[in-house]
Structure formats: C-alpha cells, structure tokens
Amino acid sequence: MIRFWQKRFSSDIKTKNLAIDKELATLKKELKSEIAKKFASSLAIRMVDSGSCNACEAECNALSNPYYDLERFGVHFVASPRHADVLLVSGVVTLNMLPHLLDAYEQLPSPKWVITLGDCALCHTLPDSFAIAGPVSAHLPVAHHIPGCPPAPDAIIAGLLAFLRKL
Amino acid sequence: MRLIARFAEQLPDGFEVIDIYDSQTQRHALPSTDPAIDSIAARYPAALWFERKMHDDFGIRIANAFDTRPLVHHERFPAVHPMRKEFTPGKLQLAEFKPYKYEAIEGEGIFQVGVGPIHAGIIEPGHFHFSQEGEAILHLEVRHFYKYRGIEKMMEGRDPADGFAIVEKISGNESVAYQIGYLNLLAQAADTTIDENIRKYNAILLELERIAHHLTDLGFIPNDAGFGAALAFCSMLAEDTRRMLHRLAGHRFGFGAVRGETKEIDKDALKKFVAHLRSEMEFFRDWIIDIPSLWDRLDTTGRLATTDAKKYGCVGVVARASGVALDRRDEELYRAHGWRMVTQPGGDVAARFKVRLEEVFVSLDIIEAMMDFAPARMTYDALRDGSYISYVESSLGELMQYLRIEDGKIARYFARDPSFINWQALHLMMHGNIIADFPLINKSCDLSYAGSDL
C-alpha cells in the first residue's frame, strides 16, 4: 500500500486532460441546458434491451466513462421503469421479450416517452424471422429514434438532444 | 472427452443429431417420424440445454430425459418447431400463457427470488431464479433465451458469403470473433487456407476486441464490489481501445471488418497505443493489487472447482480461472507471436479477475508481434457443398460455428457461443455465497446473453 502511494504521488493524475473535442463539449452543454429547461435538470431513463446484440448496451455504458460522463448533465439511467421519464429500447422486439417490454412500458408513470436506440429497433439490421415480433414502433408509440449500428456515444448524446428539442 | 456441442439438423430423409467432442464427432441418424434420441446429460451435464433446445427447435424427443421443459420457447411462444424445413416462415402470434416450472428448493423458511428478465442496469435481458435461505443462496436457475431472434433460421437459404452480415451482429462483444470463425468456414468450403497476413490482421482486431471487453470487466468487477474508481479508469481505457478499433477497422465493434483482406493500418499510432495501454495497465495492476478491502470481496467468492469446470466443459476465462488450460489460440501462429496460456487455480472471482488482467498484457504482446503483415486478399467464390466446423477464441472463450452448404446455399448454420456452456455452470458458483454477491460473480464471468440466445 505504501509502495503504491509513493508511486502514486510521484506520477501524474491519471484521468486528467482527456482529449474532448469541441463539438462534443458543445453538445454536452446544450444537453445540460435542455434538460434543465424541460426536465428540471434530471432526465431519468430506463433502458430495455428487447433483442439487440449488446453493442447498443455497451455504447450506453460507455456514456458514463470519463470521456462522456453523462450523469453530470442530468441524465440518469434508473433501475426501475417507475422512476423513469423515458423508456430507451434497443434491439428488435423478440417474441419472448414482447410481453416484458409492454409490461415495462406500463410501469412508466405519465408523461412518458419511448426512444429507440440503434437500427435493430427499426428491424433494419437483421433479416426478418419467425421469432421477431417486428420493430418497436409496431408495439409502442415511439417519440424519437437514435440511428446507428450501434450509435456511438456522441451519436446517442446528439440523439437525446434532438429528442429534447422536439419537446 | 469434453462435449463441445450437440445439435440437430434436418436432412431429406430424417434428422441427424451431431455430437461434437474435443476428440471426435458422432452423428446419429433419426427417422423423420417421431425422432427420438437418448439423453447424454447424465454424463455431460452441459448437454441439457442443447437437448432442450433441440426439442424446441426440431421436435426431437429426448428419451430418458429428466428435464423436458422448453428452453428457447417461453410461456407465450406458440407450439411450433420452427427449425423444421417444412415450417413456413411467417409471423408468429403470442399464444396462450403456459406456466414454466422453475427449479425451486422448497421448505420451511425458504423463499424464492426472481430477478429479471429486465435488470436494474444497462444489461441484456435474462432471468435468474434463486432459492434462498436467508441471505444464503441454495440454488440458482438461469433462464435465458429472451433474446431468441431465430438467427439459425435467418441464415438458411442464403448465399454463404451473405452470412457475414448476420453473424457479425449475433453478439456485439464478439463480433470480430464470429467473423473470423465464419471466414474460416468459408475458406474450408473454398478449399483454401487463409493467408498468414490476413490472419495476422484479423488477430490484431480480435485482440483489440478482447482488450476492450476485458477492460470493461476489469472496471465493472471492482465497481460491483463498491470500488468505482477502477471503473472510471478502465472504462476510459476501454473507450480508447474502441476508438483504436474504429481507426483500424472503421467500426467501434469491428462490424464488417473481417472479409478476407487486410486493410492498411497506421502502425505508428497502434504502437503508441500499445505502449500507452501497457504502462497504464501496469499502473492499474500495482494499484488494484494493493487494495485489501477489494480482495476481501473477490477472494473465495463464487468458486468453480476444476472438476466441475471440466465436467461441464467450461471454456474461456471461466475455465482458465479454474485451472483448465484451454485456449483456442494455442496454435502455431499465436504461439510464435506473443501468446501464452494464462491460468489461475482458484476458480473464484479473484481468479477470473487476475486472468483477465494478465490476458490484457498477453493481447498487447500479440498485437505488437502481429503488426508486421503485408497487404493480402483472398477469394472464396467457388464454395463446395459440405459441412464445416470452425473454432475461434473470442473474448469469452471458445466459439464454435458449424455451416452446411447444399447447392451453394446455407442449409444449416449453428453457433455454439462460449456462454452457452458457461451459463450452465453458473449455478455451481453459488454454493456458500450470499445473494448480494451474485452480481459480482455474474460480472466476473461476464457471459453473453445475445450469443447464447441466438
């Protein structure tokens, strides 16, 4: 432990000076002000994967890494749909997930919005199959779509911003 | 013998069940009316899911089976066998609710805890059913296949070269691995070998994919034990890795990157990245190893004994952390280019953490050694009919793919994701642990839902 701290004090701060480009910084700033205006500085999102390949989830997780750190701007991924403003759905809707997706949507308090994440949600990525119950919009009222396969973290931020501006 | 996969396919005059072991392949011919086969689950416990899936998909009856519950077809899935050739694709409608009987231990004071399919975090859907005695876990049943997309059927009837677009989207964290395995299948069908330059280029992408995946886990495992700083640190490096992959392959997850040709890469940038990541990970190793309160949570938690790992035929990090030296990269090209086997004897969360940490360094060595490839390109036009098997070590473990080509089109595709085996061994890690440690144990294995569900 002592060895570590000796080394630690003699080395640099490990997370400083991350290269964040201007465009992203502007996006984040705008996102923050939009959330402050329209969601009292706190936008709660419940993410549901109804049949993705997990890349969309990985990119969503990447939103909380030090490059993006979305929590700072008031975006929270919450554990229960009952705490959420937005249901963020990724992936095609599989037959096995359909009842659970509808159930999760029911649990969201109104007013509520559905945002789809990634092109699977439109059924544009994989061929159709017997086990796929169609795109998300066939089952839920979709307020906004964030395109990409998967959308990169900055594309997700831009997508959320576009959604907020529409409101 | 280690059971790798057990799956069925339909031939014009009946069915065939194919058992793939590490040392041999057995084929069993079954009639087209009332096909049935004996269960081998008593000898090979991981055969259970294969057999239940086979029944759902093809309607093959498993004689003397002790578990005849459906696997991939859930409560409201209609009573069809969709993998049969005579099944006409079309939209299925949700059917009447049929209750599923969970494996539950019952008794005075014992209660059941159901978790999922939708979990608290940003995770894929799956269900975990616990029988609890207070905090102690008595039994866990893993129930998945919520993401069952019918990938196998999607592939059928297609031109084999078109399969890439589907296999790369089976499991995002293993996309490069799926593509490399699939390229290998096509190379076999074209009766050619993959040029060493192409293999080296592919290997670099595969190792980057592995690093990104391992780094995510190296962050999330300590995070689940309450040490968030590791997540911030590792997720930053994982992001760097994704960006590097994007730079080399044109996609953050390597979609479309493996098609049997090399791309020109910025070798200086890659070298710089490797050197930077190595020094950062050396810092991380020194840092994390000196935090006793963290290791208190990781040590002896979620133990998988070597005998159990072997009995279930576990693969990948899970196997290597239980002392089973099994890695598909154990071959000439990799051995000559920086690969070495990483194992740990403990079988606990700590062992899986250490294996991942060490493997990041191995991957960096491999990338460095594989960088000297020349431009190359291969063709796979004239594909011969036949059945082919390929293996690749994905970030999760041994990935097996099977392809049968008939009249130039895909007649059957099957993928055995490493997770399909490892999920079945997860319940063994629960004995003597409390439910609060489950997320930690689950994360330490970090298995794929999408890959296993297909």
Side-chain angles (χ1 to χ4, degrees):
Chain A
M1 197 73 178
I2 292 166
R3 202 160 29 88
F4 166 74
W5 285 110
Q6 276 168 348
K7 199 175 166 190
R8 186 72 185 78
F9 285 126
S10 62
S11 68
D12 212 1
I13 298 170
K14 280 288 164 185
T15 48
K16 74 170 186 187
N17 293 338
L18 280 176
I20 291 170
D21 53 54
K22 265 194 202 130
E23 220 170 296
L24 183 60
T26 327
L27 271 184
K28 285 172 161 183
K29 218 169 167 185
E30 284 174 38
L31 185 70
K32 190 178 177 181
S33 82
E34 284 286 332
I35 292 175
K37 254 189 282 172
K38 290 170 179 162
F39 283 92
S41 294
S42 167
L43 174 65
I45 300 177
R46 172 62 255 203
M47 172 139 198
V48 173
D49 163 7
S50 56
S52 81
C53 74
N54 199 28
C56 285
E57 284 66 52
E59 294 295 50
C60 256
N61 274 320
L63 286 173
S64 42
N65 75 34
Y67 281 99
Y68 306 101
D69 203 7
L70 219 54
E71 291 253 337
R72 282 193 296 153
F73 308 108
V75 178
H76 307 288
F77 286 94
V78 293
S80 167
R82 293 185 186 175
H83 303 155
D85 305 305
V86 164
L87 190 69
L88 186 64
V89 186
S90 69
V92 298
V93 180
T94 65
L95 210 57
N96 282 342
M97 265 311 277
L98 179 58
H100 308 285
L101 176 67
L102 299 178
D103 199 14
Y105 178 73
E106 282 302 307
Q107 304 296 320
L108 254 77
S110 289
K112 53 186 168 185
W113 294 269
V114 176
I115 302 180
T116 50
L117 181 70
D119 294 344
C120 275
L122 305 176
C123 284
H124 284 177
T125 47
L126 291 171
D128 203 10
S129 106
F130 62 88
I132 295 175
V136 178
S137 59
H139 306 284
L140 294 174
V142 177
H144 188 67
H145 173 68
I146 302 176
C149 182
D154 43 3
I156 301 178
I157 296 175
L160 287 176
L161 189 57
F163 159 73
L164 289 165
R165 283 192 181 133
K166 276 206 282 197
L167 289 182
Chain B
M1 281 199 302
R2 177 170 68 91
L3 178 74
I4 292 173
R6 173 168 237 224
F7 58 96
E9 69 174 308
Q10 189 172 10
L11 302 174
D13 51 349
F15 296 89
E16 190 173 52
V17 172
I18 304 170
D19 294 340
I20 298 177
Y21 299 92
D22 52 354
S23 54
Q24 58 171 283
T25 299
Q26 291 171 3
R27 289 172 179 265
H28 311 273
L30 305 181
S32 45
T33 49
D34 189 28
I37 190 159
D38 276 343
S39 170
I40 55 167
R43 171 84 180 78
Y44 301 100
L48 189 61
W49 277 17
F50 287 111
E51 290 171 354
R52 287 168 65 189
K53 181 173 161 62
M54 205 188 303
H55 180 263
D56 288 359
D57 283 346
F58 288 97
I60 294 174
R61 195 163 49 79
I62 310 298
N64 68 24
F66 57 86
D67 184 353
T68 54
R69 296 172 301 165
L71 184 77
V72 293
H73 296 178
H74 281 188
E75 282 93 343
R76 299 193 58 190
F77 204 94
V80 290
H81 300 300
M83 283 302 290
R84 288 201 177 189
K85 298 279 183 203
E86 65 263 26
F87 173 79
T88 42
K91 281 284 155 234
L92 292 177
Q93 298 298 323
L94 289 178
E96 194 82 6
F97 184 90
K98 297 183 294 288
Y100 177 84
K101 192 168 170 9
Y102 284 97
E103 292 163 17
I105 295 178
E106 281 159 6
E108 202 185 325
I110 294 172
F111 57 95
Q112 313 296 319
V113 178
V115 183
I118 300 176
H119 298 290
I122 305 172
I123 328 174
E124 301 178 79
H127 186 86
F128 301 103
H129 195 90
F130 298 91
S131 297
Q132 291 289 132
E133 186 186 22
E135 279 197 282
I137 303 170
L138 290 182
H139 181 61
L140 159 69
E141 179 181 1
V142 177
R143 187 182 184 216
H144 283 335
F145 307 96
Y146 287 92
K147 300 178 81 168
Y148 175 54
R149 290 159 291 172
I151 297 279
E152 294 154 273
K153 191 82 172 184
M154 268 180 210
M155 294 284 282
E156 287 180 10
R158 266 167 216 285
D159 199 52
D162 295 343
F164 273 117
I166 298 174
V167 298
E168 71 186 15
K169 296 188 187 81
I170 291 175
S171 170
N173 278 325
E174 305 166 88
S175 177
V176 175
Y178 268 94
Q179 292 174 67
I180 291 176
Y182 196 72
L183 178 67
N184 190 337
L185 292 172
L186 295 190
Q188 290 176 44
D191 197 18
T192 173
T193 52
I194 304 174
D195 184 272
E196 193 170 294
N197 291 303
I198 298 173
R199 292 185 63 201
K200 282 180 173 176
Y201 171 74
N202 290 347
I204 291 175
L205 301 185
L206 181 61
E207 296 312 311
L208 281 175
E209 177 178 81
R210 190 184 323 277
I211 290 172
H213 196 189
H214 277 8
L215 281 174
T216 311
D217 293 333
L218 290 172
F220 268 112
I221 295 167
N223 188 60
D224 276 351
F227 190 65
L231 177 60
F233 187 81
C234 288
S235 64
M236 176 183 69
L237 297 177
E239 176 71 19
D240 289 338
T241 314
R242 288 253 172 260
R243 289 179 180 189
M244 196 67 219
L245 195 56
H246 183 248
R247 216 164 145 179
L248 299 188
H251 192 279
R252 283 165 61 91
F253 290 79
F255 289 8
V258 179
R259 292 292 186 275
E261 59 183 10
T262 61
K263 275 187 200 145
E264 203 171 323
I265 62 169
D266 185 347
K267 287 183 186 169
D268 288 334
L270 186 55
K271 270 183 200 151
K272 224 170 113 188
F273 166 79
V274 168
H276 171 70
L277 193 55
R278 188 178 284 131
S279 94
E280 293 289 86
M281 289 315 286
E282 277 162 2
F283 168 85
F284 179 75
R285 184 164 57 185
D286 288 350
W287 173 30
I288 206 84
I289 218 84
D290 257 349
I291 298 171
S293 57
L294 173 67
W295 292 97
D296 219 29
R297 286 289 304 279
L298 309 187
D299 281 328
T300 72
T301 304
R303 192 172 258 169
L304 178 70
T306 309
T307 45
D308 286 335
K310 281 191 178 152
K311 195 171 158 193
Y312 274 72
C314 288
V315 292
V317 173
V318 171
R320 292 195 287 277
S322 288
V324 182
L326 189 73
D327 190 329
R328 283 283 169 184
R329 291 173 295 169
D330 191 358
E331 45 138 339
E332 216 176 309
L333 181 73
Y334 274 96
R335 275 197 295 259
H337 289 83
W339 175 84
R340 59 189 183 276
M341 183 73 81
V342 179
T343 56
Q344 282 280 335
D348 51 3
V349 174
R352 289 187 280 277
F353 184 84
K354 287 177 196 161
V355 167
R356 286 182 201 281
L357 183 55
E358 201 51 39
E359 286 194 349
V360 171
F361 289 99
V362 174
S363 294
L364 289 173
D365 290 348
I366 294 173
I367 292 175
E368 228 165 28
M370 296 272 193
M371 242 184 266
D372 63 329
F373 62 85
R377 191 196 179 101
M378 65 179 282
T379 51
Y380 36 83
D381 302 330
L383 301 176
R384 299 168 305 159
D385 285 3
S387 56
Y388 311 97
I389 294 174
S390 78
Y391 296 98
V392 58
E393 187 75 16
S394 84
S395 51
L396 293 165
E398 173 196 70
L399 163 69
M400 186 218 85
Q401 290 179 88
Y402 171 88
L403 183 73
R404 189 163 63 81
I405 303 177
E406 208 177 82
D407 303 327
K409 301 279 181 213
I410 299 173
R412 174 84 167 109
Y413 170 80
F414 179 75
R416 203 273 352 244
D417 194 89
S419 309
F420 194 87
I421 299 274
N422 288 348
W423 276 124
Q424 297 189 67
L426 192 68
H427 73 98
L428 297 168
M429 303 176 198
M430 298 301 138
H431 301 295
N433 287 278
I434 59 172
I435 193 164
D437 273 337
F438 172 72
L440 189 61
I441 300 169
N442 191 27
K443 196 72 216 172
S444 75
C445 300
D446 196 30
L447 304 172
S448 165
Y449 301 64
S452 154
D453 293 2
L454 285 178

